[in-house]
Amino acid sequence: MREESDTGALNERILEFKSDPDKLRQASEFVDELIQQAKKEAELKQKDKEKSKFVSNLKRRLGRARGFVLRVFDALCNCTQTAAAAARTTARNNPFAKR
């Protein structure tokens, strides 16, 4: 019985709200603001995601280039193993290298 009275009161309040154009306008403005804010936040998250993807791609390319240069250096300086070892040590101390 209480549920019926609660439902009836709720329906009355809904009808009253729908009949007041000022309240409807305020509610639609509020919803529009929420939607705009959500779009802005989604765009910011997308930009951050693309930026991090670019940075990881750049790190991967630098690592590949470094590996290629080291292989070429090892091939050219095959007779001097100390120089090749020094090049490998420098590559290990590089902050862009994966660990």
Side-chain angles (χ1 to χ4, degrees), residues 1 24 33-35 46 49 58 63 67 73 75 80 85 90-91 93:
M1 192 186 256
L24 281 176
E33 286 178 23
L34 285 179
I35 291 171
Q46 184 67 23
K49 186 177 180 182
L58 182 65
F73 188 75
T80 58
T90 304
N93 293 334

Side-chain angles (χ1 to χ4, degrees), residues 1-34:
M1 192 186 256
R2 180 176 169 101
E3 287 182 20
E4 291 176 9
S5 65
D6 288 343
T7 305
L10 179 62
N11 287 336
E12 288 177 24
R13 290 180 64 194
I14 290 172
L15 289 175
E16 181 183 324
F17 183 81
K18 286 183 178 181
S19 65
D20 189 357
D22 190 43
K23 288 182 181 179
L24 281 176
R25 183 184 51 77
Q26 289 176 351
S28 65
E29 287 175 0
F30 176 72
V31 170
D32 288 342
E33 286 178 23
L34 285 179

Side-chain angles (χ1 to χ4, degrees), residues 12-94:
E12 288 177 24
R13 290 180 64 194
I14 290 172
L15 289 175
E16 181 183 324
F17 183 81
K18 286 183 178 181
S19 65
D20 189 357
D22 190 43
K23 288 182 181 179
L24 281 176
R25 183 184 51 77
Q26 289 176 351
S28 65
E29 287 175 0
F30 176 72
V31 170
D32 288 342
E33 286 178 23
L34 285 179
I35 291 171
Q36 292 299 324
Q37 186 177 5
K39 283 182 183 179
K40 287 179 184 177
E41 289 179 9
E43 289 172 358
L44 288 175
K45 284 184 181 182
Q46 184 67 23
K47 286 180 183 177
D48 288 344
K49 186 177 180 182
E50 290 173 0
K51 188 176 182 180
S52 66
K53 187 177 180 179
F54 173 76
V55 169
S56 66
N57 189 21
L58 182 65
K59 287 181 182 179
R60 185 172 52 237
R61 287 182 183 216
L62 287 174
R64 287 179 182 171
R66 185 178 306 104
F68 175 74
V69 169
L70 286 176
R71 286 192 302 275
V72 169
F73 188 75
D74 281 343
L76 292 176
C77 299
N78 196 10
C79 59
T80 58
Q81 292 297 319
T82 57
R88 276 192 227 100
T89 303
T90 304
R92 275 187 293 234
N93 293 334
N94 191 332

